[in-house]
Each structure stands twice: as C-alpha cells, then as structure tokens.
Amino acid sequence: MIAHWDEVESGRAEAGHLGGLWTDLGSAAGSKTVGVNRIRVDPGKWSTPFHRQTAEEEIFYVLGGMGICLLDGAAFEVRTGDCIVHRPRELHALRAGDDGLDVLAFGTRVRTEAAHLPRAGVSWLGGSWVEAGGGAHPWAREATAGEPELPELTPRPETVVNVDGVDGGDSEGGSWKPLARNAGADLAGLNWGRLNPGCEGAPPHLHSADEELFVVLEGAGKLELWPTPQRVRAGVEYEEVPLRAGDVISRPASSGIAHGFRAGLDGMTFLAYGTRKANDVCYYPRSNKISFRGLGLIARLVDLDYDDGETR
C-alpha cells in the first residue's frame, strides 16, 4: 500500500543514446490497474525509444532538471513542475539536459491479448501476426537506429502545463490544481495538492472502479483509513499511517477501506493520480453519502446488515 522511493530497488536501462535509472514505484506500492515509474535520465541521454502507445494514456511530471520532449514531429523544452500528457498513438520520448532529468511517468495498464504460438515463433495480433521474441532487444534495435534528430524547438503545446501556471482552488485548507485536465488528459487525472498544517484534503472516500496513486513531494502527514460499515462489523478498525516526502501510496478500487489525508505541522504537498471511469461509484463513510459519477447524482443510503428483513 505504501512504498518510499528511496527504499525501492532501481535498475539501469541503457543502450546507445538511451540511459537512465528506473524505479517501479507503482508495483512496489501494490497498484493493480495503474502504475508509476520514476525515471532519472542521464545527462544528454534519452528516457526511452521514440515510441507510441496504442491504447494507454501516459502522464509525466517533471520532478527536477530540464530537457527536451520530442512529440511526433515537434520538439520543445520541459522543466521542473511540468505536467506532460501523451495521448494514445502520439509518438514521444524525452531527452535530458546537461544536468539530467528526473520524471514520474504515470499510466494505465491496458491488458492486451496477443496469443503466442511458441513452436511457430509468432503471435496473433489483431487480424494478423508478428514474429515473437526473435532478434535483438527493442532497446538494442533503437540504439542501432541511432539518436533521433531533433527539429528546431517550438513553443510548448497545450498538452504541457506547469504547476506554477495552473489556477488552483484555494481554501483555508490549502490549494488544489488539476494539472492533467488542463493539459487535455481524457482517461486519467493528475492533480497537485498542498495541505496547510493540520488540514485535511478531500473527505475520506472509497472508489468502486477508479484506482488512485499518490506521491508525497514535500512535508509530512498521515493517511487515514476508514473501513466501510460491513468491514466494521467484521472487526476492521480505523487506522492512521504516518507519511513523509517520497512516500508512494496506492489505493486500489473496491478495497472496502476509504482513505483521506491530513497534513502534519509543516503542511504537505503531494500528487494525486487516478483513472476517471464513467461507471465509478464513490462512498463517503463519515457522511454515508454515495456519488454516482455517470448519473451525476449524490445520495444518502441506509446501511443494513446482510440478514436485515429476511425471514427464515
């Protein structure tokens, strides 16, 4: 449920012009349908081969450094605090500047079916087939192809926003900035939040379909875990878990445990990533409210025991 980015094993990924240190934070924190990797790209190197996703939407947040994003046929600068949205079928890659580039790469995990025929050495893919597992590794092939040529730099597209340039919803409790929505994300959201000392974020809640990932950037606080009424009857109790900068928290859908955040004495700044599924239902245990996203309805229901009203 919680992993710290300094305590998760990292691995080098390098070939030719590609080079960096990768840390799979999402898997370490127990995420199921979404993920987040921290990629520390070496100075002057590229993060990945120039590639496109056919179904996944990727959202990058720049933790530190500067670099260049190659997007289809254009190139532009990126810097600390940038949120970059890559929609499905957009070709993209990042090249670090002289001091390197430190990014968080969030994305959905879309399961695809490609039946493998091991004796024939092919896999079915759509209405055709492809050679399976033959030849050099894709990164080695990319290295052989050489470093991509960068066109003249252009202004940043609308799919890139910086946290300092996004208007937020300020309140006594803190500030909230919907980064990815302002950058045109469709499948998921990435929000930047700052909680003032002792204040809480969104009311404790539990999603039925959406999975969420949180990364604490600065400060400290606590994660509050509220069991649903049925879980309470089963003996599950309210719990508080301390948080610090560098913690990554996963909250899979339909866990039966609602979550909320409260800042410590120095406040807390964090990123919140999550899917936005139309059929999601959200439950708020303190107020016993249920929000039906697809219906645009928030209601209050009566909690009943399983055997309530039954005759035997």
Side-chain angles (χ1 to χ4, degrees):
M1 181 179 65
I2 298 180
H4 193 276
W5 61 26
D6 289 339
E7 299 169 356
V8 178
E9 184 176 355
S10 301
R12 295 279 313 167
E14 53 189 337
H17 58 281
L18 310 168
L21 189 66
W22 286 64
T23 312
D24 186 352
L25 300 174
S27 295
S31 62
K32 305 297 183 184
T33 63
V34 297
V36 56
N37 280 288
R38 183 180 184 182
I39 311 172
R40 283 166 278 187
V41 191
D42 297 341
K45 295 288 187 176
W46 292 76
S47 59
T48 62
F50 192 43
H51 71 285
R52 63 161 58 97
Q53 306 292 143
T54 58
E56 296 181 5
E57 179 183 71
E58 293 181 306
I59 300 175
F60 289 74
Y61 183 82
V62 182
L63 290 172
M66 298 182 65
I68 295 174
C69 178
L70 180 60
L71 177 63
D72 288 332
F76 50 89
E77 291 184 345
V78 293
R79 63 184 186 275
T80 301
D82 277 348
C83 171
I84 311 159
V85 172
H86 294 306
R87 302 186 183 98
R89 306 199 66 79
E90 289 182 340
L91 283 162
H92 61 275
L94 292 169
R95 193 188 77 175
D98 293 339
D99 296 323
L101 189 63
D102 189 358
V103 299
L104 293 173
F106 297 88
T108 52
R109 292 176 178 157
V110 178
R111 305 300 181 187
T112 57
E113 176 61 27
H116 182 216
L117 285 65
R119 295 194 304 168
V122 298
S123 292
W124 294 109
L125 187 63
S128 185
W129 55 90
V130 294
E131 298 293 328
H137 188 277
W139 277 49
R141 297 186 185 194
E142 175 76 5
T144 300
E147 185 173 355
E149 291 188 11
L150 285 174
E152 184 177 347
L153 297 185
T154 61
R156 293 140 62 93
E158 295 181 351
T159 53
V160 181
V161 298
N162 189 273
V163 64
D164 292 335
V166 174
D167 293 331
D170 295 328
S171 67
E172 293 183 0
S175 181
W176 188 253
K177 297 185 178 185
L179 302 181
R181 183 183 304 172
N182 278 274
D186 295 319
L187 304 180
L190 180 69
N191 301 318
W192 177 95
R194 174 174 290 155
L195 299 180
N196 293 332
C199 293
E200 73 169 6
H205 62 281
L206 164 66
H207 291 282
S208 66
D210 284 341
E211 181 169 7
E212 295 180 297
L213 279 169
F214 303 89
V215 181
V216 181
L217 299 177
E218 296 177 348
K222 61 184 178 182
L223 168 67
E224 299 178 345
L225 299 172
W226 298 70
T228 61
Q230 287 195 7
R231 291 297 181 95
V232 171
R233 288 194 285 271
V236 179
E237 299 181 348
Y238 168 84
E239 183 180 0
E240 294 181 357
V241 182
L243 299 174
R244 58 191 171 116
D247 275 341
V248 180
I249 306 100
S250 73
R251 299 304 303 151
S254 299
S255 66
I257 306 293
H259 61 271
F261 294 96
R262 188 175 295 275
L265 296 178
D266 296 324
M268 188 171 78
T269 302
F270 63 99
L271 296 174
Y273 171 84
T275 54
R276 297 199 311 233
K277 298 184 178 180
N279 62 343
D280 181 66
V281 177
C282 192
Y283 173 64
Y284 298 84
R286 289 194 313 205
S287 56
N288 197 34
K289 296 194 301 287
I290 294 183
S291 173
F292 302 87
R293 176 180 293 158
L295 301 180
L297 173 68
I298 298 178
R300 182 171 284 114
L301 302 181
V302 178
D303 171 56
L304 300 175
D305 189 72
Y306 178 78
D307 290 325
D308 187 279
E310 302 291 340
T311 58
R312 299 184 183 278

